[in-house]
Amino acid sequence: MAVTSKTPEHSATGHDPQTPEYDHPTGGWGSLRGIARIFGEERNSPLALKVLAKLNKPGGVMCTSCAWAKPAKPHLFEFCENGAKATLWEITPKRVTPAFFAEHSVKELRGWHDHDLERAGRLTHPLRYAAASDRYYPVSWQEAFEAIGRELRAIDPQEAVFYASGHAGLEASYLYALFARLYGHNNLPQSSNMCHETTSVNLKTFIGTPVGTCTLEDFEECDAIFFFGQNTGTNSPRFLHQLKSAVERGCRIVTFNPLRERGLIEFVDTQNPVQMTVGKATQISEEYFQLLPGGDIAVLAGMIKCVLAAEEKAPGTVLDQDFIARETSGFETMRAAVEATGWEEIEAHSGLTREMISRAADIYLGAEKVIGIYGMGLTQHVNGWLNLGMLVNLLLLRGNMGRPGAGISPVRGHSNVQGQRTVGIAEKPDLVPLKKLEEMFAFTAPRQKGRNAVEACEGILDGSVKAMISLGGNLLRALPDRTRIEEAWSGLRLSVHVATKLNRSHLVPGEVSYILPCLGRTDRDEQLSGPQAVSMEDSLSHIYGSIGNARPPEGELRSEVAIVCGMAKATLPASATQRWDDWTGNYDLIRDLIARTYPEEFHDFNERLLQPGGFYRGNPARGRSWKTESGKAQFTEPTTISALGEEAGITAASPGRMTLVTLRSNDQFNTTIYGFSDRLRGLEGGRDIVLINRDEMRRLGLAEGQRVTLVCDIADGIDLRVSGLAVTAYDLPPGCVAGYYPELNPLVPLAYHEKHSKTPAYKGSPVVILPE
Ligand SMILES: Nc1nc2c(c(=O)[nH]1)N[C@H]1C(S)=C(S)[C@@H](COP(=O)(O)OP(=O)(O)OC[C@H]3O[C@@H](n4cnc5c(=O)[nH]c(N)nc54)[C@H](O)[C@@H]3O)O[C@H]1N2
Ligand SMILES: Nc1nc2c(c(=O)[nH]1)N[C@H]1C(S)=C(S)[C@@H](COP(=O)(O)OP(=O)(O)OC[C@H]3O[C@@H](n4cnc5c(=O)[nH]c(N)nc54)[C@H](O)[C@@H]3O)O[C@H]1N2
Ligand SMILES: [Mo]
């Protein structure tokens, strides 16, 4: 099932010709057509083009889509197809006004598709749910804040959860976390609890930092890049520019992914007139291996075996012995475990041959400076910790950590997901300088560990969570085990959504429910002291200011900062240290607070805010200072060979068990569905599909287009299923099926999550297929 794509011709022959595949490179005219489609559908005005022109440029708006770096010297157009879609989607002229809710009951809206809900337009007024008429009605901000304050004061703070999706800027996020602690809890789950929490928890154990170690300069120097489970072409397309330049100067790229993702195969740069006219693509991956889902531990064990064997053959020439001795711990234990792992086992779990893995290892051995990249393909597995541990092991062997051109680079999701954690949105109180906050705000901070996303769900299910506030996001679509959680959600006493657009989570109201409409990042944000900037942190730990310049929707929207301050002021007793009104009036003051709380990273925050390329907040592992328990970089012993967590198998596998991978299309941003074209995978028109390899289809007697039900195979008494999925032949390894997130989320059990961080195992749920 592995495919080599030495040349584009090669890749064409490697593909199963009978299943769909997009036969154009990523980027190019297809991507411009994708932007033009959304532009037309959203009926954006020509002014929208002005907004796009300033996207990701110093002094402009930092894209609301992904968290990829914004270079100091931007391209003429420093945005991608999906960034443009996200921006045009936000600055749409369509509106969801009180008249919309007078027309549609909540029950009726629950029947709408996610796409249609968000496409209805921007929310314009604060709204309160009325159960008697099953409708949302406009209310004043004053009334909304007072009611929220009253409700929060009436419960134990431990019964409240404050969720944040990774959109809001550092200013609103800092105050949101402060509000939670002043009120009395650390229940601050964030979207990263479903995403890169595996990284935050485990990288910290291995190398003493919760984030990646690379910066853009490293991509200009590295000799080889190894990609594990990250889909650049769809999820961080601007990164393709760095990859293209790297390939052009001779850097070698190797990809491990069960699917042949177009962006990692070839790319045409829309900024390059010659490439656009001639249509000649840059080939990205020199080797592309379609491993089995959950097979990365096995692949990495194989590669490490090859490295150890090479050292044995030519002692003292392969491993960075000096580095291992001085800077690391646990090498011998790791080595013994890998050596005890047989090739047969490695081949069975990876789905690749020894020869293929050896080819990948040869590229590793031939490179002086190596970067390891990964995404959800490694983090969203039960043994995600070991996926990361093995990748770190591979890099440590030759000192590929903490030196220029080398390191580990998790690619983050939401545009400010990493930054929100940096400024205190964390359920783990030990990650936050509580003492400092206590000094600054004269209070006693709660020390009890807060709830992460999975624990918040458990609390909603058992009734111990009574209030949910969401600063952005769409938890009821993003969470695992959706059917059960949705039912329990309506038992909440209070639910509050701070949002730009209507989504499913707003349509399952608790007893007291509010939707609070906020400005988006592209909107001009005028406060008492004038127009405001907000800031965010990218995947490479750089911090940027962002200044919205679009005319905000007419109505009664407020900024996220103003809404957080409004809720806090209405909830907490007045205190001279809490200047909620002043902070709303001037965000410089909030940045001063951030600088005081985190002086090392954020000193002179206001002065550095608009620095081209952002300012770097530093990373000790980059300078080989290991903030781990041992004070050294840690090798990890592979105690299992599969990331799927089979040993946790709650029940024995059914004979037809398959591994389910949930995917993002090229036409969505998480639960926001822009349209129904997954162009880069050659899939058009529908999302209720299940992708499966043609041989498996034959074996199971399934026909193309036939409707089937997927049933979770470990639900242990809980029936998790999704029906009405159209069978679609696709180039996938055997033994697995794939389909779209969020449609398939009801199939992922809440208890099936990464071991140390509780990140749901969205890439490896066991299912069986039942023909309908
Ligand atoms: N346009 C767009 N951009 C986005 C998003 C979006 O939805 N749309 N979402 C944002 C967010 S929040 C995030 S977290 C990131 C997500 O970006 P990614 O990290 O790229 O996440 P996914 O697309 O979920 O999956 C990544 C890849 O993992 C592969 N995979 C699945 N299982 C395995 C496995 O076991 N091993 C390996 N090696 N690979 C595997 C899949 O085939 C897929 O190509 O993107 C961000 N950017
Ligand atoms: N099966 C499966 N499930 C998954 C995943 C998967 O790969 N597979 N991926 C997981 C991952 S990586 C993530 S990060 C989560 C995402 O989970 P969430 O972050 O909760 O979901 P989003 O879809 O990003 O949230 C979209 C909503 O955010 C609101 N919004 C948009 N912009 C703004 C803004 O500027 N401010 C405010 N206040 N609101 C705004 C809009 O109302 C919009 O409807 O999903 C997870 N769920
Ligand atoms: Mo994410």
Side-chain angles (χ1 to χ4, degrees), residues 124-177:
T124 58
H125 288 74
L127 303 159
R128 179 183 170 132
Y129 178 69
S133 56
D134 189 36
R135 277 173 166 74
Y136 274 102
Y137 288 97
V139 288
S140 70
W141 282 102
Q142 186 66 12
E143 187 185 330
F145 289 149
E146 277 174 11
I148 293 165
R150 208 169 34 242
E151 290 296 328
L152 288 177
R153 281 195 307 273
I155 59 172
D156 177 344
Q158 295 304 330
E159 295 171 330
V161 171
F162 291 9
Y163 170 71
S165 161
H167 285 280
L170 296 173
E171 296 75 9
S173 303
Y174 175 87
L175 293 182
Y176 191 54

Side-chain angles (χ1 to χ4, degrees), residues 268-328:
V268 165
D269 185 355
T270 45
Q271 319 254 342
N272 179 330
V274 178
Q275 267 205 322
M276 284 296 279
T277 321
V278 182
K280 191 170 168 352
T282 303
Q283 186 197 336
I284 301 291
S285 297
E286 174 178 335
E287 298 273 11
Y288 199 113
F289 297 108
Q290 281 180 275
L291 85 171
L292 292 171
D296 303 84
I297 297 170
V299 163
L300 285 156
M303 286 179 71
I304 293 171
K305 265 174 107 72
C306 294
V307 174
L308 295 174
E311 170 73 13
E312 204 156 295
K313 239 178 166 178
T317 64
V318 174
L319 299 183
D320 188 339
Q321 300 278 13
D322 220 40
F323 173 81
I324 293 173
R326 252 185 309 118
E327 308 275 351
T328 72

Side-chain angles (χ1 to χ4, degrees), residues 163 189-191 193-194 452-458 460-461 468 470 474-486 489 505 671 741-750 758 760 762:
Y163 170 71
Q190 194 220 15
S191 54
N193 282 135
M194 298 174 276
N452 57 33
V454 162
E455 290 157 357
C457 293
E458 289 164 352
I460 292 173
L461 287 169
M468 274 295 303
S470 293
N474 185 6
L475 268 179
L476 279 181
R477 298 300 277 173
L479 288 167
D481 203 347
R482 179 167 69 228
T483 318
R484 226 160 44 105
I485 293 163
E486 214 176 275
W489 190 280
S505 301
T671 70
Y741 145 57
E743 284 80 351
L744 299 186
N745 283 38
L747 289 164
V748 184
L750 189 59
K758 297 202 178 171
Y762 295 121

Side-chain angles (χ1 to χ4, degrees), residues 22-44:
Y22 183 63
D23 55 3
H24 306 288
T26 304
W29 294 109
S31 110
L32 294 187
R33 275 194 288 272
I35 298 173
R37 195 200 79 215
I38 292 280
F39 187 81
E41 283 175 4
E42 288 302 297
R43 290 185 252 123
N44 286 113

Side-chain angles (χ1 to χ4, degrees), residues 191-192 194-196 376 380 412-414 417 664 669-670 741:
S191 54
S192 79
M194 298 174 276
C195 179
H196 267 293
M376 299 299 100
Q380 294 176 337
R412 296 274 168 163
H414 277 299
V417 65
R664 299 168 154 77
F669 189 89
N670 297 338
Y741 145 57

